Amino acid sequence: MSRPTIRDVARAAGVSLATVDRVLNRRAGVRAKTVAKVEEAMQRLDFTRDITAANLSKKRRYRLSFLLPDGDNSFMRGLAAAVQATSKHSSLERAEVTVTMVPAFDGPALAHALDAIDRSATDGVAVVATDAAEVRDAIGRLIVDGVRVVTLVSDLPGSSRDRFVGIDNVVAGRTAAGLLGRFCGSAPGRIAVVAGSMLLRDHVERRQGFETVMREHYPHLTVLPSLEGLDDAERVASLLGELLAQDGEIAGLYSLGAGNRGVVTALERAGLAGRVRVVAHEVSPHARAALHDGIFDAVINQDAGHEARSAVRILKALIDDRPVLEAQEQIRIDIFMRDNLP
């Protein structure tokens, strides 16, 4: 049997094609009783709307805006490149993708960029969120104005955003603790933690998951307060270098943000490269080299290309009020060591 069409729905409901079209597109001017008749007919006929065909017939375009943090963060530069690459493919699927770079760790600047988005020319927004009240409020204003919003990489669950696209960062932190605890062995020691900023939800959640597992399973290892390096290599090298000079009991190090180049520099200057066990995040060129040279023991990675493509697909589904294919959009946590580097 052929699939039921919009004409079949109109005939079954006893209404015009124009009325069915208005109901499908949630336009005003249709009585509630008529809407109910059309929806009942669709259910009875098992009518499924072909969104792609409908959009092509209406020359529908999805206007999407990505707000990403600026700076030297290798992962974020890779994410920006992945979004740009995705935009070329998405243009074939009638999606127009723009990228705006915003100062990193700057809540007011991000809120200003969100407020500056042209609502009349934007259907959906993907944003790497800074955990700040003004950012939550700005996202809320976008939602009220009818723009769909997803947070990307770093979530803002207290906001009214539609969805989060990224790895489970608590699980990532727990994974890092399981690896580092095994690498460090049974001797007592202290664990240094290098973060970008605790204003980022993903860094907070990684630290939370890491601490939980260390307390439960590796109580002989003391986790130190986070050094906030702001993803700046020189700042990380300076802060970590001071800690290594002052504390001779550092057995392991968890780098939960960017700044891997600074971690390597500090360890090499202190003569501890390859002696302190290290788990870091993201397979950047510097992290790859550190794994190869035995300075890093493991790197936890997330696929920036998958995240960019997933954000586009999810925004399009939200705009069309379609269900999301959850299995396709789950971002994996990958673990790389020197032996399995791609």
Side-chain angles (χ1 to χ4, degrees):
M1 294 179 63
S2 60
R3 292 174 56 183
T5 66
I6 191 172
R7 290 183 179 277
D8 297 323
V9 174
R11 189 179 303 112
V15 300
S16 67
L17 287 172
T19 296
V20 175
D21 182 72
R22 282 197 292 273
V23 172
L24 286 172
N25 291 288
R26 291 176 168 78
R27 289 196 289 269
V30 184
R31 292 182 300 171
K33 184 177 179 180
T34 303
V35 171
K37 286 173 59 178
V38 172
E39 291 179 342
E40 188 276 332
M42 288 191 292
Q43 184 174 3
R44 178 158 39 91
L45 295 173
D46 195 21
F47 172 82
T48 302
R49 191 182 187 197
D50 189 336
I51 294 293
T52 302
N55 287 339
L56 285 171
S57 69
K58 294 184 295 183
K59 297 185 177 180
R60 173 78 162 93
R61 301 199 72 83
Y62 302 88
R63 300 161 302 174
L64 311 179
S65 178
F66 280 69
L67 272 62
L68 308 178
D70 204 357
D72 293 331
N73 184 323
S74 298
F75 174 76
M76 289 302 173
R77 290 203 306 270
L79 180 61
V83 173
Q84 295 287 7
T86 299
S87 70
K88 295 177 183 178
H89 174 74
S90 297
S91 64
L92 301 176
E93 300 176 358
R94 313 190 72 81
E96 299 170 354
V97 180
T98 61
V99 178
T100 300
M101 306 305 291
V102 182
F105 314 119
D106 191 332
L110 180 55
H112 177 75
L114 289 165
D115 283 333
I117 289 173
D118 184 354
R119 274 66 165 165
S120 66
T122 307
D123 302 305
V125 171
V127 55
V128 178
T130 299
D131 195 351
E134 55 264 39
V135 176
R136 285 192 291 273
D137 293 343
I139 288 175
R141 288 189 286 272
L142 279 170
I143 295 292
V144 168
D145 291 338
V147 178
R148 309 314 295 259
V149 179
V150 299
T151 49
L152 182 64
V153 179
S154 187
D155 197 10
L156 196 55
S159 70
S160 53
R161 58 94 175 112
D162 291 290
R163 283 182 67 108
F164 168 60
V165 182
I167 62 173
D168 185 325
N169 284 293
V170 173
V171 171
R174 293 179 63 89
T175 302
L179 290 168
L180 199 54
R182 289 173 173 85
F183 294 152
C184 289
S186 58
R190 291 152 71 84
I191 305 297
V193 178
V194 178
S197 170
M198 302 314 282
L199 291 176
L200 293 178
R201 184 78 182 191
D202 57 333
H203 290 196
V204 172
E205 290 180 343
R206 289 174 190 177
R207 168 90 198 201
Q208 175 189 341
F210 184 80
E211 265 192 300
T212 299
V213 170
M214 295 301 286
R215 280 197 309 267
E216 290 178 357
H217 301 290
Y218 307 100
H220 61 287
L221 297 172
T222 302
V223 181
L224 299 176
S226 299
L227 302 175
E228 295 188 63
L230 302 181
D231 292 346
D232 178 81
E234 291 184 7
R235 178 180 170 88
V236 169
S238 175
L239 292 174
L240 182 56
E242 291 178 10
L243 176 63
L244 294 173
Q246 295 168 6
D247 193 331
E249 298 183 12
I250 303 297
L253 188 153
Y254 177 34
S255 178
L256 59 80
N260 288 329
R261 180 159 50 96
V263 170
V264 172
T265 299
L267 289 170
E268 288 180 334
R269 286 175 180 171
L272 295 172
R275 295 169 56 191
V276 171
R277 305 276 70 85
V278 179
V279 174
H281 275 263
E282 318 311 345
V283 183
S284 66
H286 296 293
R288 179 183 292 273
L291 277 173
H292 184 269
D293 295 339
I295 300 172
F296 286 4
D297 296 276
V299 173
I300 296 170
N301 193 65
Q302 55 189 315
D303 188 333
H306 187 182
E307 287 175 322
R309 295 187 296 274
S310 182
V312 170
R313 287 192 296 263
I314 288 173
L315 282 171
K316 290 172 66 177
L318 290 168
I319 292 162
D320 287 331
D321 197 22
R322 289 184 285 117
V324 171
L325 185 57
E326 299 293 345
Q328 183 181 27
E329 310 310 348
Q330 184 175 1
I331 311 299
R332 294 194 320 268
I333 295 173
D334 295 317
I335 301 171
F336 291 105
M337 296 191 282
R338 179 166 53 186
D339 310 290
N340 70 330
L341 270 174

